């Protein structure tokens, strides 16, 4: 295999992995921007999405498209429920309390999944096969193309939704100033619920692509991609939607390049090294804006 | 003579722990303890040390760190390597305290290395970066053959005894409780309560944050050395993120900022699962529910309001004084 082919292939697989990160990072960044909290359980929603799709196809025997849609709805309900039961009562509590609760929720989801599906991994039933499109000496898997295309489309829809729709406007207002938004007659609780629903729906899509890419899903599947996607969100600038997209894709490419050229075992350490570097050099991320603090 | 409330509180904690340790020591020497219980003594002490040290950052400083197990691993590996190297040259009585000092100091140095860049961050960022550092440290240890890789480091002398572990617990308690009532401790807690006000009052944020961070890392390292010398073999997977969360659960259950609470919670959290074997599959599930419920009950404004009302109603029954309405607001920290 030629040097350039090797480079192009790791770039392509990085793009595919990066798209999954980007989808998850979008959820993180929206929740962080609007509710000002790090939803630690977001990664586990991916796992919940993947498992619900497995249950709907394999156990209920539904066609893949229906199962995927139901999986997305399930995740939206899950996200909104978690927000309602665990995070809403703590809206005015200290950030430390919210963060610890979120970690608790993450653990809860993982352990419930472990009790339901066991400790060994479950096979993911949906797949687009291993067929690939040959472009010269480089072959591109259709699953990669699908992942990248869907992620791109979602980002465009999401950007339009936030900049044009009424709800999107409310979301921007809440993220700017919660109290002022409330005084303007915006239902803050409802807006935050909508944010969690959208974020969780994106996580379900990420769960689908993750399952398609890795073929197996386990109870802790979501944890590592979740944390890395948070790194991506910080990298791109937390609260910024194009930033999450850019950060996700760059991080995916960095991880794959590190795996190809440096070391497979140390690739996680390198990804986390990126986070530390970004936070030291440019804490607001690539596309984030600086927020001055009010006393 | 009238003692201050804080002093009385401290004395109660010391008496509780010393009394308990003496009782256990006598029972143990007399051979009244079952083998199962004997094996649990040192791990319980290790858990107590970890909980108290994490409490310094989470409870006193109010910053969540998720890499506590990584400092423990740094301490464990350096202390164990020291002991292995000195096995022939030094007698156990000199070697083991030195190993603990080495482990603690190396962990503290790592605490400084991690702390200087990280402590510019706060809240969620700090939590995720300490998590990242923890994973990096574990990854690096796993991939360096010198440390034994995934199969672990073997050949450490099994020096940990209950007496030594108990003494270390007392030292940790002494440092943590004195810190709490000292000028330094008050500065640290002022940063937790209002960072901006603390900074305006001339408190050097970086210095005090680093102090709390390094102290916590030091004792985590010492706990790691005890751990390594209790098992004779250590593997990197024992120091992962889950371990950090387990320590956090103990701290949260005991009450953020409370040394006595951390001690009691550490004991309960270790003994209960051992005796309730049927709960084994649900252990982590219960941990997570404990975390969520403790936070909801202690921190949500609605729950605090209800608790305050109950307290007022109760004190009204017992005292029938009119002052309770003023005193009823918020609980003080032990």
């Amino acid at each position: 295999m030629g040097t350039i082919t090797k480079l192009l292939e790791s770039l392509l697989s990085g793009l595919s992995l990066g798209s999954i990160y980007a989808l998850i990072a979008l959820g993180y960044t929206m929740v962080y921007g609007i509710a000002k909290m790090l939803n630690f359980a977001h990664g586990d929603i991916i796992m919940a999405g993947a498992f619900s799709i497995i249950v709907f196809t394999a156990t209920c025997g539904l066609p893949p498209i229906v199962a995927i849609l139901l999986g997305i709805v399930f995740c939206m309900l899950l996200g909104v429920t978690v927000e309602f039961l665990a995070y809403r009562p703590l809206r005015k509590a200290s950030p430390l309390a919210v963060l610890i609760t979120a970690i608790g929720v993450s653990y809860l989801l993982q352990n419930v999944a472990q009790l339901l599906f066991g400790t060994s991994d479950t096979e993911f039933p949906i797949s687009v096969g291993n067929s690939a499109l040959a472009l010269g000496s480089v072959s591109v898997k259709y699953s990669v193309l699908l992942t990248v295309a869907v992620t791109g489309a979602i980002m465009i829809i999401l950007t339009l939704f936030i900049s044009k729709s009424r709800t999107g406007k409310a979301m921007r207002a809440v993220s700017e100033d919660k109290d002022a938004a409330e005084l303007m007659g915006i239902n803050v609780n409802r807006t935050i619920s909508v944010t969690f629903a959208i974020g969780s729906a994106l996580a379900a899509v990420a769960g689908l692509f993750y399952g398609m890419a890795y073929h197996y899903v386990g109870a802790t599947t979501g944890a590592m991609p979740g944390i890395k996607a948070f790194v991506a969100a910080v990298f791109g600038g937390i609260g910024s939607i194009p930033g999450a997209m850019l950060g996700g894709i760059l991080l995916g490419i960095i991880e794959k390049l590190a795996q190809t050229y440096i070391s497979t075992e140390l690739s996680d350490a390198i990804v986390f090294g990126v986070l530390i570097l970004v936070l030291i050099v440019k804490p607001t991320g690539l596309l984030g804006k600086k927020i001055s603090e009010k006393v | 003579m009238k003692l201050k409330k804080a002093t009385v509180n401290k004395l109660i904690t010391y008496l509780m722990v010393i009394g308990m340790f003496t009782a256990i020591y006598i029972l143990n020497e007399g051979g009244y303890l079952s083998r199962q219980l004997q094996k649990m003594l040192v791990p319980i002490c290790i858990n107590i040390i970890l909980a108290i040290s994490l409490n310094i950052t989470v409870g006193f400083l109010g910053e969540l760190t998720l890499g506590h197990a990584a400092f423990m691993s740094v301490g464990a590996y350096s202390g164990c390597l020291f002991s292995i190297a000195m096995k022939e040259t030094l007698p156990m009585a000199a070697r083991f305290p030195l190993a603990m000092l080495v482990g603690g100091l190396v962990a503290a140095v790592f605490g400084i290395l991690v702390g200087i860049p990280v402590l510019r961050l706060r809240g969620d960022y700090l939590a995720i970066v300490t998590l990242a550092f923890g994973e990096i440290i574990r990854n690096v240890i796993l991939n360096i053959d010198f440390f034994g890789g995934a199969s672990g480091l073997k050949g450490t002398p099994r020096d940990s005894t209950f007496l030594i572990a108990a003494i270390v617990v007392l030292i940790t308690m002494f440092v943590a409780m004195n810190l709490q009532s000292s000028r330094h401790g008050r500065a640290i807690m002022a940063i937790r309560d209002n960072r901006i006000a603390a900074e305006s009052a001339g408190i050097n944020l970086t210095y005090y944050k680093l102090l709390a961070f390094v102290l916590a890392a030091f004792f985590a390292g010492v706990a790691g050395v005890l751990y390594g010398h209790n098992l004779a073999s250590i593997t990197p997977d024992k120091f992962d993120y889950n371990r950090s969360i387990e320590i956090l659960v103990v701290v949260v259950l005991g009450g953020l900022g409370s040394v006595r609470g951390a001690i009691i919670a550490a004991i309960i959290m270790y003994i209960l699962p051992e005796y309730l074997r049927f709960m084994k599959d649900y252990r982590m599930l219960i941990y997570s529910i404990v975390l969520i419920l403790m936070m909801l009950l202690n921190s949500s404004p609605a729950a605090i309001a209800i608790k305050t009302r109950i307290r007022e109603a109760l004190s009204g029954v017992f005292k029938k004084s009119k002052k309770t309405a003023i005193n009823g607001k918020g609980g003080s920290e032990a």
Side-chain angles (χ1 to χ4, degrees):
Chain A
M1 194 161 57
T3 324
I4 295 177
T5 320
K6 194 175 158 193
L7 178 68
L8 281 175
E9 295 210 324
S10 55
L11 280 178
L12 275 170
S13 59
L15 194 63
S16 158
L17 179 69
S19 301
I20 297 177
Y21 287 161
L23 280 173
I24 311 168
L26 283 172
Y28 266 120
T29 221
M30 284 174 67
V31 167
Y32 200 96
I34 287 155
K36 298 282 179 288
M37 65 162 287
L38 168 54
N39 182 13
F40 230 88
H42 190 65
D44 301 290
I45 305 271
I46 308 161
M47 174 273 299
F51 270 123
S52 63
I53 293 172
I54 292 175
V55 169
F56 287 130
T57 43
T59 319
C60 307
L62 296 169
I65 298 292
V66 182
I68 291 167
L69 289 176
L70 283 177
I72 292 174
V73 172
F74 173 76
C75 279
M76 288 168 83
L77 289 176
L78 183 66
V80 172
T81 315
V82 164
E83 195 275 328
F84 183 77
L85 291 179
Y87 303 152
R88 188 169 296 183
L90 296 173
R91 185 96 9 108
K92 291 197 169 65
S94 75
L96 183 67
V98 183
L99 191 57
I100 293 176
T101 311
I103 291 172
V105 172
S106 160
Y107 253 65
L108 184 69
L109 291 177
Q110 282 179 23
N111 284 289
V112 168
Q114 208 160 65
L115 289 175
L116 290 177
F117 301 100
T119 39
S120 55
D121 289 357
T122 312
E123 192 176 357
F124 197 75
I126 300 173
S127 163
V128 286
N130 266 332
S131 51
L133 185 71
L135 291 173
S137 61
V138 185
S139 59
V140 191
K141 278 189 196 168
Y142 284 113
S143 60
V144 173
L145 287 178
L146 187 70
T147 309
V148 176
V150 170
T151 311
I154 284 176
M155 199 203 103
I156 294 169
I157 296 170
L158 203 59
T159 314
L160 287 175
F161 176 77
I162 289 191
S163 56
K164 305 281 182 209
S165 78
R166 239 181 115 75
T167 318
K169 205 175 197 172
M171 285 162 86
R172 277 183 289 142
V174 172
S175 91
E176 201 73 38
D177 188 332
K178 220 181 277 177
D179 295 329
E182 197 150 26
L183 292 176
M184 292 296 131
I186 292 168
N187 187 337
V188 172
N189 278 334
R190 202 186 66 103
T191 313
I192 292 180
S193 291
V194 170
T195 314
F196 269 85
I198 296 175
S200 306
L202 296 178
V205 178
L208 168 72
F209 288 137
Y210 185 92
M212 279 165 56
Y214 294 92
H215 308 300
Y216 286 93
V217 182
T220 51
T221 287
M224 215 13 122
I227 293 166
K228 285 185 190 162
F230 181 75
V231 175
V234 173
F235 190 21
I238 200 123
S240 149
I241 286 174
M245 192 78 189
L246 183 70
I249 286 174
L250 281 178
L251 201 73
I253 290 174
I254 291 172
E255 185 176 336
K256 284 290 172 190
L257 286 180
Q259 277 176 8
T260 316
Y261 293 102
I262 303 172
S263 151
T264 322
E265 287 84 24
L266 286 179
S267 65
D268 282 358
I270 291 166
V271 167
F272 290 131
V274 168
L275 171 74
I276 290 159
L277 209 64
V278 169
L279 286 176
I280 293 168
V281 178
K282 198 172 188 304
T284 50
L286 294 174
L287 302 178
K289 45 182 180 189
K290 181 140 181 63
I291 306 157
S292 58
E293 200 170 358
K294 276 175 272 184
V295 178
Chain B
M1 190 176 72
K2 203 170 154 51
L3 290 167
K4 270 197 282 181
K5 201 182 159 204
T7 323
V8 174
N9 254 327
K10 259 203 231 174
L11 280 176
I12 292 174
T13 313
Y14 279 125
L15 284 178
M16 178 189 93
V17 173
I18 294 173
M20 194 174 58
F21 279 159
T22 326
I24 292 174
Y25 187 74
I26 293 169
L27 284 175
N28 195 16
E29 291 296 300
Y32 293 109
L33 293 184
S34 67
R35 280 195 67 80
Q36 191 194 5
L37 206 61
Q38 274 180 355
K39 266 193 203 150
M40 280 159 57
L41 293 178
V42 178
I44 289 175
C45 290
I46 294 170
N47 268 14
I48 294 175
I49 300 166
L50 287 170
I52 296 176
S53 59
L54 185 65
N55 217 340
I56 296 176
T57 41
V58 182
F60 298 178
L61 181 64
E63 291 287 6
L64 185 60
T65 60
L66 297 175
H68 210 58
F71 291 126
M72 188 187 165
S73 74
V74 170
Y77 273 91
S78 49
C80 288
L81 284 171
F82 176 82
S83 279
I84 292 171
M86 293 290 157
K87 219 175 191 169
E88 311 298 331
T89 19
L90 285 174
M92 182 262 178
R95 184 183 63 212
F96 194 39
L98 275 177
M100 281 196 271
L101 199 62
V102 168
L105 286 178
V106 175
V109 169
F110 267 78
I112 295 173
L113 288 179
V114 174
I116 287 173
V118 158
L119 288 174
R120 286 174 54 198
L121 311 164
R122 294 196 302 282
D124 306 337
Y125 284 89
L126 184 78
I128 209 99
V129 172
T130 47
L131 194 166
F133 260 115
E135 289 297 307
I136 291 176
I137 290 174
R138 197 170 60 87
N139 252 300
V140 169
I141 292 178
L142 200 59
N143 286 296
I144 294 179
D145 292 333
F146 181 63
F147 297 122
S151 57
L153 187 68
K154 293 189 186 68
T156 315
R158 299 183 65 162
D159 290 341
S160 292
T161 60
F162 174 60
L163 187 64
I164 296 173
I167 292 170
V168 181
V169 168
L170 286 174
I171 295 172
T172 317
M173 264 174 68
F174 178 78
V175 172
M177 294 206 298
N178 273 316
L179 176 71
Q180 207 172 11
S181 52
S182 73
R183 186 187 162 84
H184 286 74
R186 273 180 277 127
I188 290 170
M189 284 183 280
I191 298 173
R192 171 194 68 192
D193 293 338
N194 193 331
R195 193 181 51 85
I196 297 169
E199 196 169 17
S200 335
I203 291 174
N204 185 341
L205 286 190
T206 318
Y207 172 76
Y208 284 109
K209 278 171 120 181
L210 203 60
L211 178 73
F213 206 68
V214 168
L215 266 178
F218 177 82
F219 283 109
V222 173
V225 179
L226 277 171
Y227 179 83
H229 288 73
N230 189 42
L231 291 179
S233 111
I234 42 174
T235 49
D237 63 308
K238 291 284 187 297
F239 306 104
D240 61 354
Y241 167 63
N242 289 343
R243 183 74 201 235
S244 301
I245 299 290
E246 276 177 33
I247 310 168
L248 180 68
V249 176
V250 173
V251 172
V252 170
L253 185 67
L256 292 176
S258 163
V259 173
R260 196 195 307 165
I263 297 169
I264 297 172
I267 297 171
I268 294 176
M269 294 285 283
Y270 198 87
I271 292 187
L272 264 193
E274 292 286 329
Y275 281 98
L276 304 173
R277 281 286 167 191
F278 63 91
M279 260 173 49
K280 200 166 171 277
D281 293 343
Y282 303 98
R283 193 169 65 109
M284 297 310 281
L285 188 72
I286 292 168
Y287 281 5
S288 61
I289 293 172
V290 165
L291 268 187
I292 300 171
L293 286 183
M294 290 302 289
M295 281 299 132
L296 287 178
L297 293 178
N298 282 333
S299 298
S300 85
I304 290 173
I306 291 171
K307 275 201 293 192
T308 315
R309 265 170 51 197
I310 293 173
R311 197 174 297 149
E312 274 170 23
L314 282 180
S315 58
V317 169
F318 292 124
K319 284 184 195 161
K320 292 202 186 292
S321 83
K322 284 175 186 171
K323 274 186 186 169
T324 45
I326 308 160
N327 293 334
K329 192 189 156 225
S332 61
E333 263 164 278

